[in-house]
Amino acid sequence: MPLDARSPSAFLPTACPHDCPSTCALEVEKLDAHTIGRVRGAEANSYTLGVVCAKVARYKERVHHPGRLTVPLQRVGEKGAGMAAFRPISWDAALDIVAERFQRIAAAHGSEAVWPYYYAGTMGLVQRDGLNRLRHEMRYSREHFTICNMLADAGWRAGHGAKWGADTREMAESDLIVMWGGNPVHTQVNVMTHVARARKSRGAKLFVVDVYKTATCEQADDYLLVRPGTDAALACAMMHVMFREGLADRDYLARYGKDWQDFERHLGTRTPEWAAAITGVPAARIVEFARLYGKARAAFLRLGYGFTRSRNGAASMHAVSALAVVGGKWQAKGGGALYSQSGGYGLDTTLIDGLDVLDKSTRLLDQSRIGPVLTGDKRDLGEGPPVMGIFIQNTNPMSVAPELLKVREGFRRKDLFVCVHEQFLTETAEMADIVLPATTFLEHADIYVSGGHTHLFVTRPVIAPYAEARENHWVVCQLAKRLGCKHPGFAMDAWGLIDATVKASGLPGADAVAEGRWKDYVRPFEQQHFLGGFGHGDGKFHFKPDWSRVGRDHARLPAFPDYCDVIDRAAQERPFRLVTAPARNYLNSSFTETPTSRAKEGRPTILIHPEDCKALGIADGDRVRIGNERASLVIHAKPFAGLQRGVAVVESIWPNRAFEEGIGINALVSADPGLPNGGAAFHDTAIWIVPAEPPPAAAKRESVLQA
């Protein structure tokens, strides 16, 4: 069908806003001013290639869901009591209340007692990051964005000095593709399209490294399963073999590596046998993988986020990313490594973020530690005031944040004023005093960049806003007006802000970029592959980085790429290591409300090795209690041979209410910051597992009624 907005039924261009590296180029069928039909990937986009994940393909379930919020709401009942606890009010009344409460809080406690809090519910720059403009002008508490990629960023930048890498489209010329710590079949389906092309055109092999047998492992030629948090040991042993057997490119290292000879000596004791004891991978398999990788001319190393979500995640990323340097893989098209391309756009976001009014003396609060922050932990608050007001967009911390019991305790405070701007009455919105209805990406304009590819998108609305839903930018500007803000970004509509931003970044303007559908920021091969030098001032990859420049908590990090033993290790009282991996049909807490996604996922389940099940006396479908010093919860067990003994996996972030006792999996996850600059350790949790006691009769009756 034509891309023609005048047609009664047209496919219109846009881009996916969700927190996935693919940022797919989309075409959405517009049936009328308020209704969409089909959603498909744009075939003309050389990365998306017409492919889109199943959950976004059925987006009409989400945008037209009967549970979407329609009007602003004010609390009149108890927190957490659902829609019955709210009454409708007007937009003006709601915004007046929020502004007045924030003014009162700032007057009584200081401006830092207000904390604007957001993350990646949309990845659009205007609708996501505009809250910073309000934060900076009002001198509210700043936010340390640690919940997703802080650890991965630190590890990649420590070695490379810049955040970009090999172009995924080069996979068509790869001999070997290594997917390390990611499951693109679930989380980044476009990667598998490019893998399929490489297999068809060159007979390329796909090798996966992960902690359990994922859907991507099932499609791979081979895979290795490691213990959680031990990836650096595997990488170091591989590099030991590569140096020992002449598979390291010493000429390349002499040109592009700093301290590489000292690193080679350091690896002398990092043998496959040493790594086998740490990772659980047999030494012979490590040698086999090292030879496969070392001998491949064009070896493409695609690095996911999963293996970095550990206290040692930055050190793990640094070590694994060093493989491409030791092997000289950057020299070949189809070789090298990619973690993220998002550092390659060079956009000037001063107007969006309000960088010209940023005061770095205002305190910085860690978003992953929202539980400790809201419960008054002095390690976070210091000598500053407690957080008395919080304004939330684009995130659902009552489901997704670590230490959920503390998060719940914090939100239940009677003296905490909460405003949530959301599409649905999420578990966080249920704790709010004021709830504001939000648009979806199809109902507002925005700018999108990507981690998985090099395209930039400027998008227009496809349909009109649902009911009284309003875009993030409009809400922030309306609050700014009431609070007396003067920044010029507040006087612009979203399209004007987009236009000014892209022009300040050297582009011709919003209309021109939108008309072209996307702008490709790919660099020439030599630059994309760092053949003109890496991002550090000396142009070298740093095998011995200055971790003190990355973060203050650096003393426990190894000088060279190495296994960093700071993880929550299994012990007699907590013998299992838990990983909370993404599910195919959910994306963090998004899509948990859509009926097809819920039906396909079924119920929360913990995967446990069959031998561990036997030792515990657990059969398929049995209820088990899992826990640690932070919390415990009941979940159904499934014997699963695709992981090592002592490892357990729960896929997805289920809503708390999906669990028997009303508390979700992140209650078990620590809010301890990863080294050296923070970062959530979602895959770094030691737990115990025991058979659960039978549920009380009342709970059985309620379960039957719910079914």
Side-chain angles (χ1 to χ4, degrees):
M1 296 181 98
L3 292 170
D4 183 355
R6 297 166 296 182
S7 172
S9 178
F11 277 90
L12 302 183
T14 187
C16 181
H18 288 286
D19 188 12
C20 157
S22 284
T23 315
C24 292
L26 301 180
E27 294 168 358
V28 178
E29 185 181 23
K30 179 178 180 178
L31 301 179
D32 60 42
H34 298 276
T35 312
I36 69 162
R38 292 166 289 174
V39 178
R40 66 192 187 193
E43 290 186 8
N45 184 273
S46 57
Y47 176 81
T48 302
L49 293 173
V51 176
V52 65
C53 69
K55 50 188 173 285
V56 171
R58 53 179 182 262
Y59 206 81
K60 64 182 178 182
E61 281 192 23
R62 193 161 198 274
V63 73
H64 300 310
H65 194 290
R68 280 193 64 184
L69 296 169
T70 59
V71 296
L73 303 170
Q74 182 181 26
R75 169 169 305 287
V76 293
E78 292 297 316
K79 290 186 175 184
M83 190 64 76
F86 294 94
R87 71 176 181 92
I89 58 173
S90 70
W91 267 103
D92 280 338
L95 292 168
D96 287 346
I97 291 169
V98 176
E100 189 269 338
R101 287 295 300 269
F102 285 173
Q103 287 170 327
R104 281 171 47 194
I105 289 168
H109 302 278
S111 62
E112 291 178 334
V114 177
W115 192 19
Y117 187 95
Y118 77 91
Y119 203 51
T122 177
M123 296 296 282
L125 303 186
V126 169
Q127 308 293 351
R128 183 189 68 188
D129 300 331
L131 192 54
N132 287 328
R133 191 167 63 254
L134 182 68
R135 179 200 316 277
H136 297 331
E137 183 161 352
M138 296 302 297
R139 299 191 74 254
Y140 294 150
S141 284
R142 293 183 292 140
E143 186 176 1
H144 195 32
F145 298 105
T146 58
I147 213 160
C148 178
N149 62 346
M150 182 64 67
L151 288 156
D153 269 16
W156 178 272
R157 289 183 184 274
H160 294 79
K163 189 179 175 182
W164 65 75
D167 188 341
T168 300
R169 292 167 292 188
E170 290 181 26
M171 285 182 180
E173 302 189 47
S174 299
D175 302 318
L176 173 69
I177 300 163
V178 177
M179 186 68 220
W180 197 308
N183 182 14
V185 169
H186 281 186
T187 63
Q188 197 183 351
V189 65
N190 309 81
V191 168
M192 300 307 295
T193 303
H194 293 277
V195 169
R197 283 188 154 196
R199 284 171 149 173
K200 184 176 181 179
S201 64
R202 296 178 61 85
K205 302 297 183 184
L206 173 63
F207 198 104
V208 177
V209 180
D210 215 314
V211 296
Y212 76 115
K213 187 178 180 181
T214 65
T216 306
C217 291
E218 291 175 357
Q219 294 190 23
D221 296 280
D222 202 355
Y223 60 90
L224 288 179
L225 303 179
V226 301
R227 293 173 181 146
T230 66
D231 301 79
L234 173 59
C236 286
M238 289 174 64
M239 290 184 281
H240 170 99
V241 173
M242 290 165 68
F243 275 113
R244 184 182 70 194
E245 299 190 2
L247 299 174
D249 191 331
R250 287 184 167 83
D251 291 337
Y252 175 84
L253 286 165
R255 290 184 61 194
Y256 293 102
K258 183 178 182 181
D259 298 314
W260 69 273
Q261 291 167 314
D262 290 337
F263 175 53
E264 181 181 2
R265 286 189 286 272
H266 165 78
L267 288 177
T269 58
R270 276 29 181 188
T271 63
E273 291 73 21
W274 165 83
I278 296 169
T279 65
V281 179
R285 290 282 283 146
I286 296 174
V287 172
E288 180 184 2
F289 182 28
R291 289 170 177 166
L292 175 71
Y293 181 78
K295 292 176 181 179
R297 186 190 67 85
F300 194 110
L301 185 59
R302 185 64 175 95
L303 303 175
Y305 296 91
F307 77 100
T308 70
R309 289 181 174 145
S310 179
R311 290 166 177 80
N312 64 4
S316 295
M317 173 63 82
H318 182 233
V320 176
S321 68
L323 278 162
V325 183
V326 169
K329 306 305 182 185
W330 286 104
Q331 298 168 98
K333 196 165 187 180
L338 173 61
Y339 149 59
S340 174
Q341 304 285 17
S342 63
Y345 291 91
L347 293 182
D348 183 346
T349 64
T350 300
L351 270 175
I352 295 173
D353 285 283
L355 299 177
D356 49 341
V357 291
L358 166 62
D359 181 354
K360 290 187 177 180
S361 69
T362 56
R363 72 176 174 190
L364 183 67
L365 299 177
D366 187 335
Q367 70 171 159
S368 298
R369 290 184 55 78
I370 186 173
V373 166
L374 294 184
T375 52
D377 196 319
K378 287 295 184 181
R379 290 173 295 179
D380 302 281
L381 300 176
E383 299 305 313
V387 170
M388 303 298 294
I390 187 166
F391 181 82
I392 298 175
Q393 290 182 322
N394 306 325
T395 190
N396 183 17
M398 276 286 293
S399 291
V400 305
E403 296 190 12
L404 275 180
L405 291 183
K406 287 186 179 179
V407 177
R408 177 184 286 183
E409 179 186 350
F411 274 105
R412 282 180 171 168
R413 282 172 41 201
K414 294 185 182 299
D415 62 344
L416 176 69
F417 176 77
V418 180
C419 178
V420 175
H421 185 204
E422 252 294 357
Q423 297 162 4
F424 295 87
L425 193 68
T426 63
E427 291 172 303
T428 304
E430 288 187 9
M431 307 300 282
D433 299 283
I434 298 290
V435 179
L436 306 174
T439 50
T440 68
F441 79 104
L442 297 173
E443 301 156 14
H444 56 235
D446 218 331
I447 309 171
Y448 300 96
V449 297
S450 176
H453 56 75
T454 56
H455 294 110
L456 174 144
F457 306 92
V458 168
T459 64
R460 294 186 174 96
V462 172
I463 54 175
Y466 177 70
E468 293 187 29
R470 297 291 182 267
E471 64 177 357
N472 291 1
H473 173 72
W474 183 88
V475 172
V476 170
C477 290
Q478 289 295 311
L479 279 178
K481 178 181 177 181
R482 287 165 169 80
L483 293 167
C485 296
K486 304 298 183 184
H487 193 279
F490 295 123
M492 301 177 178
D493 64 11
W495 196 255
L497 189 57
I498 293 167
D499 188 60
T501 296
V502 297
K503 285 178 177 175
S505 305
L507 295 172
D511 289 326
V513 179
E515 186 67 25
R517 300 187 62 188
W518 48 75
K519 162 71 175 172
D520 194 347
Y521 274 75
V522 69
R523 290 168 163 77
F525 170 78
E526 290 76 14
Q527 294 179 33
Q528 206 72 44
H529 281 242
F530 300 108
L531 297 180
F534 286 91
H536 296 293
D538 58 9
K540 306 282 189 178
F541 178 90
H542 286 190
F543 285 98
K544 189 178 183 181
D546 183 356
W547 288 110
S548 68
R549 299 183 65 181
V550 181
R552 64 182 182 181
D553 192 6
H554 56 83
R556 290 179 289 167
L557 286 170
F560 290 104
D562 206 349
Y563 170 60
C564 181
D565 190 9
V566 296
I567 62 174
D568 190 13
R569 297 182 68 182
Q572 184 175 357
E573 67 278 9
R574 296 174 302 153
F576 291 89
R577 293 269 290 151
L578 173 68
V579 169
T580 56
R584 184 167 193 164
N585 293 284
Y586 298 153
L587 202 166
N588 299 320
S589 66
S590 296
F591 300 96
T592 58
E593 70 287 329
T594 55
T596 302
S597 289
R598 292 171 65 175
K600 287 181 177 292
E601 291 301 326
R603 65 186 180 188
T605 301
I606 186 166
L607 306 178
I608 308 171
H609 194 279
E611 291 300 316
D612 288 329
C613 288
K614 183 178 179 181
L616 293 167
I618 293 168
D620 189 9
D622 282 357
R623 296 164 57 257
V624 296
R625 183 170 290 279
I626 65 175
N628 54 23
E629 67 277 15
R630 284 174 284 277
S632 74
L633 55 89
V634 174
I635 191 170
H636 291 269
K638 180 178 178 61
F640 182 70
L643 37 66
Q644 293 194 34
R645 291 199 65 179
V647 178
V649 172
V650 176
E651 290 189 330
S652 183
I653 301 175
W654 288 83
N656 294 300
R657 63 177 61 93
F659 290 84
E660 186 174 301
E661 297 169 331
I663 190 67
I665 196 68
N666 283 334
L668 306 179
V669 175
S670 171
D672 290 349
L675 305 178
N677 192 36
F682 287 111
H683 301 168
D684 188 3
T685 305
I687 62 168
W688 45 259
I689 304 174
V690 297
E693 295 292 329
K700 288 182 179 178
R701 287 196 300 271
E702 185 173 340
S703 176
V704 170
L705 288 172
Q706 288 175 344

